[in-house]
Amino acid sequence: MTALISFFVYLALVFVLAGIANHAGKNKSFLNEYFLGSRNIGVWAFALTYAATAASGGSFMGFPSLIYTHGWSLAWWICGYMVVPLVALGLLAKRINQVSRIAGAITIPELLRRRFESNAVGNLATVMVVFFMFFFLMAQFKAGAQIMATLLEGVPVYQSAAFGLEALVEGIPWIGEAEGDYLLCLIVFAVSVIVYTTYGGFRAVVWTDVMQGLVMAVGVVIMLVLALTQVGGLGNATKQLSEMTPPEFMEVEVTRGSENTLVEKQLPRGTWLESGGGDIIRLKSATTIQSGADKSESVEAIRLTTPFEIEKVKEQGSVLEGYRYNVVGEVETYAYGAGKRGVYTSTPGPSRDSPSGFITVLIAFSFFAFWNFSGAGQPSYMVRQMAFKDTLTLRRSMVMVAFYFALIYFPLVIIFTCARVLLPGMEIYPDRVMPEMASILTINAGMPWLAGLLVAAPFAAVMSSVDSFLLLVSSGVVRDIYQESINPNANEKQIKRLTYGVTMVVGMLGVLAVMHPPQFLQHLIVFASAGLGACFLMPMIFALYWKKATAGGIVSGMLAGGLTVLALYLAGYMQTGKFGEYLLLGLHPFIWAVVVSTILICLISIKGTPPAERVQRRYFGGEQR
Amino acid sequence: MSDDLQTGDLGVSFRQSRKELYFMVASWVVFAGWTISYVGLKGGIKEGEALQLVWGMPEWVVFGILIPWIFGLGLTVWFALRFMKDTDLDPAAYDGSNGEEGK
């Protein structure tokens, strides 16, 4: 309960900041203020809004689940962040700010439209932003709802409300199929973010990002200290990891022991059970043994394979007494790493699906490129780069962001390798490892109130991303579609109303879409990042650095980039039947998309008519070479 | 701190930005080369060999990731505070350019 109070204090602060931001934006040009904070963002605000937007639900929910599942190999997967501040900000920031000011643009599609004097470029950019950004929103909404669900678990009022909501929506197509607790948290989370984003606009988003960025950093530092203390030091944790072997997956029927067979027995998700031979399993979903029956329906479970982990779970008294299980059908083992000690402390890391392991050299290369260049190509970051007030702000912010990322990402790898030691069997719901870890660390430390702050860290990460994405999508619709193509003479009052309305509608559509999200958050986030990076990275680089680039070249590059990512994800789905990418020649779709996009932009621009001398001089000055 | 580049000439400013872009891409190549090749060679399981720990981490993490990360941090600080130059971003500073702010 104390955790809940500290968490709600944090939420209240977010709303206060949004209110102040709304007040500060009064008497300024609405659109320029609402979508770009009047281009007057200083060092702390720029650095932290950039970093907080980058550190999304993926960083605090999806990434920890991958570290837990694949061990130290995730350090290799994420290490591209060592130069992200240098590359992602150095690549575009100064020029994008300069060109957007010359063009008078306040959105990315608008910048491209004006730079190339082409509606086709602007409209296509808007469609691509809205399409891919929607997948981001879905992932973030799911993450936000899951964090709230973990925090509220066991609170009686919440359980009654969830139960009531489930009964209320029963029978409604699509919505009625969602679980009550998840649905309730999703609605509460979404309404909170939509309200403060709609009310405060870009300035509110930036200010709340600053606070959220600080909360994340403090949360990570506290978790790091608690985790290292509780595992007995990093060396001890790594040694234990080196002895671990991956779990096995199976279907089981739970059977009664000596208990009365007339009584119905409910077994929640996460229940530990022991076989006659001493093995233990953990249920992946809830099941029931009906009264009069002696066994349950078959249910998915994982079986631990590391002896000291099995002993630890037994010693903790977590195994349910009086019940046993029978394995039904085949036992599935990891495609790479089954029974192999050392897989969690080496590369390529264990993998359930891939016989070559989690991360090969080519995938490591792909992600080193992906984090840097796809990061640079995200419209949500580009918009921030249009908003800093001068280059001194940019330079100082690069330094701050570099320290911030080092403080967040590497410690996260350490914290969640420790989680493997402290929380066995989390493979049943890996996306919840972060809030579970926050909860267990603070309970073990005798400070349960601190869980509120620690859980606020990923929650802040999710919020700071959702608000940015909401604003980006609504700016695309209002500025780039309505004002540009439908009603260029709209007055400020009309624009204001439409902006508020669109922000709310986009948010609600996101909520509807995420009633049944895919299991791994990170897959969705990587897909959306790859799609946006593929669409915008090379077109933006050429728009800013090559005066001979043409509208035709940019349209082709944008389309080719987006379609390449879509095609390779579709191929991945057809190959495995799951949402995921197809690694053509071992490389991530983003790499192929960048290559195809670059070739097309160059070829079509060279063959086309160069932009007018007037346009070239306007954006590139008297450049001779 | 870097020298100021507020010349009011958009061409000069553009060429400086392009120079910074080349430096940044070259840096990325060096760091990618270091981490990918080192961890690719040293990160795998070595049958029959005990796990080598440095500061509580596998050795390949320290030399292939942590140390380059620290160098990357240093390079970013130097790039931002020494190599990168200030530019006047106000379109009114350039001949023939006038922004249409907030229209």
Side-chain angles (χ1 to χ4, degrees):
Chain A
M1 199 62 190
T2 45
L4 206 58
I5 292 168
S6 49
F7 181 74
F8 279 112
V9 168
Y10 158 78
L11 260 186
L13 275 175
V14 167
F15 279 96
V16 170
L17 278 177
I20 298 171
N22 181 281
H23 188 71
K26 284 188 172 145
N27 304 323
K28 290 181 178 160
S29 158
F30 174 73
L31 277 175
N32 202 29
E33 170 61 27
Y34 193 85
F35 291 129
L36 222 47
S38 302
R39 281 192 222 273
N40 194 25
I41 303 298
V43 176
W44 275 86
F46 177 64
L48 284 172
T49 189
Y50 185 88
T53 303
S56 69
S59 309
F60 279 86
M61 297 292 284
F63 180 48
S65 83
L66 289 178
I67 301 167
Y68 184 90
T69 311
H70 306 288
W72 271 107
S73 61
L74 259 290
W76 202 21
W77 187 79
I78 201 70
C79 71
Y81 269 89
M82 67 178 66
V83 282
V84 162
L86 177 70
V87 175
L89 282 168
L91 195 66
L92 302 174
K94 197 197 279 188
R95 276 291 287 164
I96 209 169
N97 191 295
Q98 190 173 43
V99 170
S100 70
R101 285 173 194 255
I102 294 171
I106 58 176
T107 68
I108 296 303
E110 189 179 23
L111 187 154
L112 291 169
R113 185 194 307 274
R114 293 192 178 186
R115 159 72 181 83
F116 292 100
E117 298 184 336
S118 161
N119 281 335
V121 174
N123 293 342
L124 179 63
T126 306
V127 170
M128 292 300 193
V129 165
V130 173
F131 176 75
F132 283 110
M133 204 45 92
F134 207 69
F135 288 94
F136 252 129
L137 270 179
M138 282 171 63
Q140 305 303 324
F141 275 141
K142 179 192 169 187
Q146 280 187 331
I147 295 165
M148 283 199 89
T150 306
L151 194 72
L152 294 168
E153 213 166 32
V155 177
V157 181
Y158 158 71
Q159 285 171 334
S160 318
F163 182 73
L165 184 65
E166 194 168 313
L168 193 71
V169 298
E170 199 177 0
I172 302 176
W174 185 249
I175 300 172
E177 293 159 31
E179 288 176 16
D181 55 348
Y182 173 74
L183 186 62
L184 179 65
C185 293
L186 181 64
I187 291 170
V188 172
F189 170 74
V191 168
S192 313
V193 187
I194 293 167
V195 166
Y196 86 70
T197 306
T198 307
Y199 185 60
F202 187 82
R203 193 173 292 277
V205 166
V206 168
W207 286 3
T208 51
D209 281 359
V210 171
M211 189 182 82
Q212 287 155 357
L214 293 172
V215 167
M216 283 185 243
V218 171
V220 167
V221 170
I222 294 173
M223 281 190 90
L224 180 66
V225 172
L226 292 179
L228 289 177
T229 312
Q230 291 180 21
V231 294
L234 184 56
N236 187 38
T238 307
K239 275 181 196 153
Q240 288 196 46
L241 237 68
S242 71
E243 297 294 315
M244 288 182 187
T245 50
E248 296 167 338
F249 299 84
M250 62 198 68
E251 295 225 341
V252 298
E253 290 168 343
V254 183
T255 58
R256 293 179 193 270
S258 54
E259 271 205 19
N260 187 342
T261 53
L262 294 174
V263 180
E264 180 182 284
K265 178 68 182 175
Q266 292 184 335
L267 300 151
R269 178 163 74 165
T271 302
W272 289 100
L273 295 161
E274 189 175 356
S275 74
D279 287 341
I280 59 169
I281 59 146
R282 196 174 193 195
L283 301 182
K284 278 189 87 174
S285 49
T287 190
T288 304
I289 307 178
Q290 303 294 343
S291 60
D294 60 358
K295 63 182 181 184
S296 70
E297 299 275 309
S298 68
V299 59
E300 282 184 90
I302 62 156
R303 182 163 67 194
L304 297 189
T305 59
T306 310
F308 70 80
E309 278 192 294
I310 296 170
E311 285 310 310
K312 188 176 174 181
V313 174
K314 287 181 183 173
E315 279 169 18
Q316 286 170 344
S318 307
V319 179
L320 183 67
E321 299 287 335
Y323 292 85
R324 292 278 188 264
Y325 67 88
N326 299 322
V327 176
V328 180
E330 295 281 305
V331 173
E332 183 196 336
T333 57
Y334 267 49
Y336 177 85
K340 207 172 193 171
R341 286 180 183 179
V343 278
Y344 288 107
T345 51
S346 60
T347 58
S351 172
R352 190 175 168 184
D353 306 314
S354 168
S356 48
F358 173 69
I359 182 166
T360 60
V361 169
L362 287 176
I363 296 174
F365 170 77
S366 296
F367 275 96
F368 204 97
F370 181 80
W371 298 126
N372 284 277
F373 296 108
S374 168
Q378 300 303 306
S380 50
Y381 304 167
M382 288 181 184
V383 157
R384 275 152 178 71
Q385 292 167 18
M386 288 160 65
F388 60 82
K389 67 178 177 189
D390 52 29
T391 47
L392 185 62
T393 301
L394 170 67
R395 295 193 292 114
R396 288 177 175 168
S397 299
M398 282 176 77
V399 175
M400 274 189 74
V401 175
F403 279 98
Y404 188 87
F405 282 163
L407 185 72
I408 295 283
Y409 287 106
F410 198 79
L412 277 175
V413 178
I414 294 175
I415 292 166
F416 289 96
T417 49
C418 295
R420 276 213 70 81
V421 176
L422 292 170
L423 292 170
M426 279 302 291
E427 282 90 351
I428 59 164
Y429 36 30
D431 278 347
R432 285 180 69 160
V433 70
M434 165 76 203
E436 292 287 342
M437 184 71 169
S439 179
I440 198 88
L441 287 177
T442 50
I443 289 168
N444 287 349
M447 297 183 286
W449 55 271
L450 194 56
L453 177 68
L454 297 188
V455 173
F459 201 72
V462 175
M463 275 186 144
S464 62
S465 301
V466 171
D467 55 23
S468 311
F469 301 156
L470 270 179
L471 219 51
L472 202 66
V473 176
S474 63
S475 69
V477 175
V478 175
R479 178 72 165 176
D480 302 316
I481 296 176
Y482 181 75
Q483 205 183 8
E484 198 69 46
S485 310
I486 300 172
N487 185 5
N489 300 318
N491 61 36
E492 190 161 297
K493 200 174 172 186
Q494 286 173 307
I495 295 284
K496 207 171 185 172
R497 276 190 196 156
L498 186 70
T499 303
Y500 289 160
V502 167
T503 311
M504 281 195 272
V505 169
V506 169
M508 285 189 277
L509 287 175
V511 171
L512 277 179
V514 81
M515 296 282 167
H516 309 284
Q519 189 194 2
F520 279 102
L521 271 176
Q522 200 66 19
H523 288 169
L524 210 55
I525 288 165
V526 169
F527 166 72
S529 303
L532 286 165
C535 287
F536 288 97
L537 177 67
M538 296 320 295
M540 188 56 83
I541 288 178
F542 282 112
L544 301 178
Y545 290 100
W546 192 31
K547 61 184 178 181
K548 298 273 169 72
T550 64
I554 297 300
V555 166
S556 319
M558 219 183 285
L559 267 179
L563 290 176
T564 304
V565 167
L566 277 177
L568 289 173
Y569 267 83
L570 189 64
Y573 180 77
M574 288 166 72
Q575 188 188 33
T576 62
K578 291 179 191 167
F579 183 77
E581 70 280 358
Y582 176 69
L583 300 171
L584 182 62
L585 300 180
L587 290 169
H588 193 273
F590 173 72
I591 305 291
W592 292 113
V594 167
V595 170
V596 173
S597 175
T598 305
I599 292 171
L600 278 174
I601 294 173
C602 291
L603 281 181
I604 293 176
S605 295
I606 288 167
K607 282 189 173 287
T609 312
E613 186 65 25
R614 169 186 57 81
V615 175
Q616 295 186 29
R617 287 194 69 80
R618 185 171 189 214
Y619 294 104
F620 296 86
E623 208 261 337
Q624 297 301 310
R625 286 174 294 148
Chain B
M1 201 58 70
S2 67
D3 299 330
D4 206 338
L5 195 78
Q6 304 195 2
T7 63
D9 184 334
L10 184 58
V12 173
S13 154
F14 167 66
R15 283 193 290 279
Q16 174 62 26
S17 296
R18 198 172 52 186
K19 192 171 142 192
E20 289 163 6
L21 172 91
Y22 293 152
F23 178 86
M24 182 276 302
V25 173
S27 304
W28 180 87
V29 171
V30 170
F31 281 90
W34 181 349
T35 60
I36 305 299
S37 56
Y38 187 92
V39 180
L41 289 170
K42 303 274 190 177
I45 295 179
K46 291 164 192 71
E47 300 292 345
E49 269 186 44
L51 175 70
Q52 296 295 315
L53 294 186
V54 179
W55 302 331
M57 292 171 257
E59 191 181 25
W60 61 267
V61 174
V62 174
F63 295 111
I65 292 165
L66 184 60
I67 289 178
W69 202 311
I70 294 166
F71 273 94
L73 203 58
L75 183 74
T76 306
V77 173
W78 177 81
F79 177 87
L81 300 183
R82 293 281 174 192
F83 189 79
M84 198 176 200
K85 291 201 163 41
D86 277 327
T87 300
D88 194 341
L89 297 170
D90 182 3
Y94 314 124
D95 293 339
S97 302
N98 55 334
E100 299 162 51
E101 201 73 28
K103 268 190 178 176

